[in-house]
Amino acid sequence: MATSGRADDTRPGVRAAGADGVTGGAGDPAPGPLDSVLRPVRAGNGFEEALEQVLQLLRLGLVPPGERLPSERELSQHLRISRVTLREVLKVLQDQNMVESRRGRYGGTFVLPRTAAPDGSGELRRRIAAVDVEDTLRFREVLEAGAAGLCAEGLTADGETRLRGALDATQGARLEDYRRQDTLLHLALAELSGSRTLAAQYAAVRATLNELLDGIPLLVRNLEHSQQQHAAVVEAVLDRDPDAAREMMREHCGGTAALLRGFLA
């Protein structure tokens, strides 16, 4: 069965680079401002956590509008991810009109000025301000990991069939219907846990979570990664492995949390 481990694109042998792109060591200069923001990502959610950190770098203004981001080599060393994953992160930022790529001798990835908020974003921000995001994310993780572990301790044949069906529905969902099918899969796990109280509490926190998710873009790379994690959680449940089910669910929740923190900060 699938177990969590170091993501394929992490590189444990590479030390984080300083702001000048040189890895730290005896006699090296003191860490620059990038070192306080960019850290090696944890195993399992490389794309989501890298995106969160680069978004934070932009929001803090450590690279002003019009200036160039550190090189791909330097960023990948700081974050300990492959350049393939880093380019996917930068592509998201380009799609959101936060950076642009320029070619040539003086090319690179340049920070764009922040544009005015689109119509309707004020209401969204008011709704987000009314939510304790960190509390919601922590409570969600506790409920989800607990539900996955309880499900893995034993499901009926009907429960297994329902869970497989919910997973299949997410895999075949159109982009515009994905979030609804994703919600139904997670609700199925909560309801199959055998605790009506847990299911009711999860339904409430999921409603809040979906309001937050509506404030960020749907990213194909993240959805593909989520699907892999969904499959691993369901596999662990069907294998009757509570520890693996809880761990995979915690990892999955961590990826969502990283995206939300990055976009809604």
Side-chain angles (χ1 to χ4, degrees):
M1 73 140 281
T3 57
S4 62
R6 180 171 293 276
D8 290 341
D9 60 3
T10 57
R11 301 187 298 167
V14 179
R15 296 183 62 192
D20 58 358
V22 180
T23 55
D28 284 342
L34 294 188
D35 297 274
S36 63
V37 176
L38 302 180
R39 305 169 303 281
V41 301
R42 297 172 296 178
N45 293 311
F47 168 77
E48 291 85 357
E49 293 192 13
L51 179 57
E52 175 192 11
Q53 291 189 43
V54 179
L55 281 167
Q56 184 180 23
L57 175 72
L58 298 182
R59 289 202 169 92
L60 287 172
L62 295 182
V63 182
E67 295 296 318
R68 184 171 52 189
L69 286 175
S71 69
E72 288 186 1
R73 179 181 66 85
E74 186 177 348
L75 286 173
S76 64
Q77 286 181 330
H78 269 285
L79 298 166
R80 296 189 194 175
I81 58 175
S82 71
R83 291 198 186 184
V84 171
T85 295
L86 177 62
R87 286 166 187 160
E88 291 175 330
V89 168
L90 296 177
K91 177 63 166 58
V92 169
L93 299 178
Q94 289 181 53
D95 291 344
Q96 297 300 307
N97 296 315
M98 302 180 78
V99 302
E100 69 175 4
S101 178
R102 302 176 191 169
R103 295 184 178 181
R105 181 178 178 183
Y106 299 105
T109 301
F110 289 79
V111 178
L112 294 175
R114 297 189 68 174
T115 58
D119 292 342
S121 65
E123 174 59 27
L124 175 61
R125 287 291 167 184
R126 281 191 290 274
R127 286 193 281 122
I128 292 171
V131 175
D132 186 332
V133 175
E134 287 301 323
D135 183 70
T136 298
L137 294 175
R138 290 192 182 104
F139 190 41
R140 181 254 179 136
E141 181 178 323
V142 168
L143 292 176
E144 294 252 35
L150 288 171
C151 286
E153 291 176 1
L155 285 180
T156 64
D158 287 344
E160 292 182 1
T161 298
R162 179 184 174 188
L163 191 55
R164 287 192 178 98
L167 177 63
D168 290 343
T170 64
Q171 292 172 337
R174 301 184 307 275
L175 188 62
E176 61 270 21
D177 193 42
Y178 180 82
R179 191 155 288 156
R180 184 176 71 88
Q181 296 298 341
D182 175 49
T183 298
L184 291 174
L185 171 61
H186 286 272
L187 283 173
L189 282 164
E191 291 167 2
L192 292 171
S193 71
S195 170
R196 287 179 295 177
T197 302
L198 188 156
Q201 290 292 318
Y202 179 69
V205 79
R206 182 71 195 206
T208 300
L209 181 69
N210 281 357
E211 284 198 345
L212 297 175
L213 289 171
D214 285 341
I216 69 174
L218 281 169
L219 306 177
V220 172
R221 171 66 154 85
N222 169 248
L223 299 187
E224 291 172 347
H225 188 205
S226 291
Q227 280 302 100
Q228 295 169 1
Q229 293 176 327
H230 286 158
V233 169
V234 171
E235 185 177 357
V237 169
L238 298 179
D239 282 351
R240 302 293 193 268
D241 189 339
D243 290 340
R246 285 190 289 265
E247 181 58 29
M248 286 308 308
M249 184 59 82
R250 278 193 290 266
E251 187 174 289
H252 177 56
C253 292
T256 303
L259 282 185
L260 285 169
R261 290 185 184 110
F263 278 106
L264 301 181

